[in-house]
Amino acid sequence: MLLRAANALPYNKSMTRSYLLSGAALVFSLVAGMVAYSLADSYIDRLPNHEGLYLVAVDSEVHSRPATLPGKTVFVLVDGLREDSARAMHSATKLAEHGHCRTTSTGGLTISRPVYALMSTGLEADRTGSRNNDDTSPVAAQSIWQVAHEAGLRVHVISELPWWRQLFPLAFDDYVIEPDDSVNYFERANLGDLTIIHPVRVDTAGHDYGAASPEYLEAVRLVDEELSAFLDTLDLAKDFVIFTADHGHSETGGHGGTSP
């Protein structure tokens, strides 16, 4: 009886077509998802390499030392520090009394490794070829660290990251990787003739909590306190200090865009 009832059901062509379309849509979605995942997973490998798009051979390398040198030269890069946060720091005020305070514009690619390359060479990302944080190959452009090293100066680094050495592997005499961002990098630094001090705790707080968070403000306060104490050990009439950042952070956390 059930069999006869089933056989008695009319053939529904539109319903069959609907099932076929649904199945095709499912297959298409799966294929599209697999293609999208493959493209995303291989994104970094498909980017232009560190040879750059516009590098040309030039005769502009510097091999001579200047007539006079500072007692010490210290390049302080506080990773992820917003400009408004920096201007409110006591250490920035102290430096401004002995020098100049300017706004840095690095262009639209406010990502750490490309900006390290920019600040080291004076060349934007289209010329250094450094466009992301995942490519660990050296850049082809000459850096100020290499110029100093080749001139016989001692070039030292303390950072949480190996990225400076990856970008410029022949430029440094002493390279300390300090993975604990709660350490006072300014006390830990072994000063050479030219020294990079690169604390990352502000950037970590920005990513984890956002720039409007108490955690971010506390990280800025700690770096300010440590930098202020470090400046007291220098003679700012003779020593040369550059204090800057690679990028800021949005209030909810994150960077990379063109907003101030």
Side-chain angles (χ1 to χ4, degrees):
M1 184 175 179
L2 289 175
L3 181 60
R4 285 198 301 272
N7 289 337
L9 288 175
Y11 173 66
N12 191 328
K13 186 181 294 186
S14 62
M15 186 178 296
T16 303
R17 186 181 298 115
S18 176
Y19 290 149
L20 290 173
L21 290 175
S22 297
L26 178 60
V27 171
F28 177 80
S29 298
L30 289 173
V31 171
M34 293 172 64
V35 170
Y37 177 83
S38 176
L39 290 174
D41 190 51
S42 62
Y43 172 69
I44 295 299
D45 295 334
R46 292 184 288 106
L47 286 172
N49 61 29
H50 277 309
E51 295 178 358
L53 294 178
Y54 304 108
L55 285 179
V56 294
V58 294
D59 184 20
S60 62
E61 293 191 354
V62 179
H63 297 289
S64 61
R65 294 173 63 162
T68 59
L69 291 172
K72 296 182 181 69
T73 299
V74 185
F75 180 82
V76 178
L77 189 145
V78 178
D79 213 289
L81 180 65
R82 285 166 57 116
E83 180 187 358
D84 53 357
S85 298
R87 288 186 180 275
M89 294 170 68
H90 297 296
S91 50
T93 301
K94 186 179 297 187
L95 282 170
E97 293 172 354
H98 294 269
H100 302 277
C101 184
R102 298 287 186 268
T103 298
T104 299
S105 176
T106 61
L109 198 62
T110 53
I111 303 171
S112 293
R113 195 188 293 262
V115 178
Y116 301 166
L118 183 154
M119 291 184 172
S120 301
T121 66
L123 301 175
E124 290 80 2
D126 61 343
R127 291 185 179 273
T128 65
S130 180
R131 295 177 181 82
N132 62 80
N133 286 339
D134 298 316
D135 190 337
T136 61
S137 57
V139 299
Q142 186 186 42
S143 70
I144 187 65
W145 324 119
Q146 291 165 289
V147 171
H149 177 72
E150 291 171 4
L153 300 180
R154 296 169 299 134
V155 186
H156 295 181
V157 181
I158 180 169
S159 173
E160 184 180 323
L161 305 170
W163 294 3
W164 301 89
R165 186 168 57 194
Q166 290 170 349
L167 287 166
F168 310 105
L170 302 178
F172 304 110
D173 300 281
D174 184 55
Y175 200 108
V176 175
I177 297 177
E178 178 52 73
D180 184 358
D181 65 6
S182 66
V183 168
N184 185 334
Y185 279 38
F186 300 95
E187 287 184 348
R188 179 83 168 78
N190 175 26
L191 297 184
D193 299 302
L194 174 57
T195 306
I196 300 173
I197 301 179
H198 178 212
V200 186
R201 65 168 60 155
V202 173
D203 184 56
T204 301
H207 281 293
D208 291 346
Y209 304 103
S213 67
E215 291 83 359
Y216 184 87
L217 298 177
E218 175 62 10
V220 173
R221 187 195 68 78
L222 285 172
V223 169
D224 187 19
E225 184 178 275
E226 294 165 357
L227 176 55
S228 290
F230 173 73
L231 294 177
D232 289 338
T233 69
L234 302 177
D235 182 353
L236 295 181
K238 297 179 180 179
D239 299 322
F240 183 52
V241 179
I242 300 171
F243 169 45
T244 188
D246 51 347
H247 56 76
H249 265 283
S250 67
E251 292 190 355
T252 56
H255 57 91
T258 57
S259 59

